[in-house]
Amino acid sequence: MIVYFLRHASAGQHKTNPVQDDKRALDPEGIRQSTEIGRVLAAMDVQVDAIISSPLKRATQTASLVGNEIGYDAKLQTSAALRPNANFDSFRQLLTKYASLEAIMVVGHNPSMTQFLSLLLSAGSSDDVVDLKKGAVARVDVSGHRSAILKWCITPKIVRSIYDTSATSSRPNTDRK
């Protein structure tokens, strides 16, 4: 199974009240990040059978914006196993639930997303192998419960650099017929 790990995009300042923080929305930067990451994934022809998101607003917004860009038209699923304080066992159960699918996208928060990705890649031996930045997406190929391979990881900073470079490129357009 292919698992795309997507950390929610920029959502401004953390709120001290947990109820208010759960309802924190993406800021304008986060909306731009989500749209651009979605466009890059669409250009890479990424297709998923299910998008599963944390129920928190900033995660569901990120999931919806990216899903829209990649042409995902099924219902967005939510799972508490992707909340910031979720544990790895509940995440493993989520993977088992969707194991019959070819590709899924999970959308959540740190610290859990970085921990889950690290634990999957290290076969459970380390929870700090990678650092998944806000708005970043990583493709992991998972075989069973013990084997996971990181295929690539794209951050919003990389996407922004590509967009900026392509818009201002002075490279001549050559035709190789």
Side-chain angles (χ1 to χ4, degrees), residues 132-170:
L132 198 60
K133 300 292 184 191
K134 282 185 184 174
V137 62
R139 176 188 165 159
V140 177
D141 290 3
V142 179
S143 306
H145 286 288
R146 291 282 178 213
S147 175
I149 299 169
L150 176 66
K151 293 296 187 173
W152 47 256
C153 182
I154 303 170
T155 65
K157 189 174 184 177
I158 291 169
V159 171
R160 176 72 354 224
S161 294
I162 292 168
Y163 270 92
D164 289 347
T165 301
S166 65
T168 61
S169 177
S170 61

Side-chain angles (χ1 to χ4, degrees), residues 7 110 114 117-118 128-134 136 153 155:
R7 184 174 168 200
N110 268 358
T114 288
L117 180 56
S118 292
D128 65 355
V129 172
V130 297
D131 181 18
L132 198 60
K133 300 292 184 191
K134 282 185 184 174
C153 182
T155 65

Side-chain angles (χ1 to χ4, degrees), residues 1 3 52 79-82 86-100 104 106 116 120 142 144-145:
M1 166 186 353
V3 180
I52 308 101
S79 173
L82 297 170
N87 64 50
F88 190 58
D89 287 336
S90 61
F91 178 72
R92 297 294 289 201
Q93 291 172 2
L94 180 140
L95 290 182
T96 300
K97 177 180 176 180
Y98 292 95
S100 64
I104 64 171
V106 292
F116 298 163
L120 211 57
V142 179
H145 286 288

Side-chain angles (χ1 to χ4, degrees), residues 45-56:
D45 199 27
V46 167
Q47 297 176 12
V48 295
D49 301 307
I51 297 178
I52 308 101
S53 174
S54 156
L56 278 60

Side-chain angles (χ1 to χ4, degrees), residues 60-129:
T60 59
Q61 283 182 304
T62 300
S64 294
L65 289 166
V66 171
N68 184 55
E69 292 297 327
I70 65 171
Y72 179 76
D73 58 4
K75 184 177 183 202
L76 177 68
Q77 305 295 313
T78 59
S79 173
L82 297 170
R83 292 179 64 88
N85 59 350
N87 64 50
F88 190 58
D89 287 336
S90 61
F91 178 72
R92 297 294 289 201
Q93 291 172 2
L94 180 140
L95 290 182
T96 300
K97 177 180 176 180
Y98 292 95
S100 64
L101 301 179
E102 187 176 330
I104 64 171
M105 181 176 287
V106 292
V107 185
H109 317 262
N110 268 358
S112 59
M113 290 301 282
T114 288
Q115 290 172 347
F116 298 163
L117 180 56
S118 292
L119 288 167
L120 211 57
L121 294 173
S122 70
S125 66
S126 178
D127 65 358
D128 65 355
V129 172

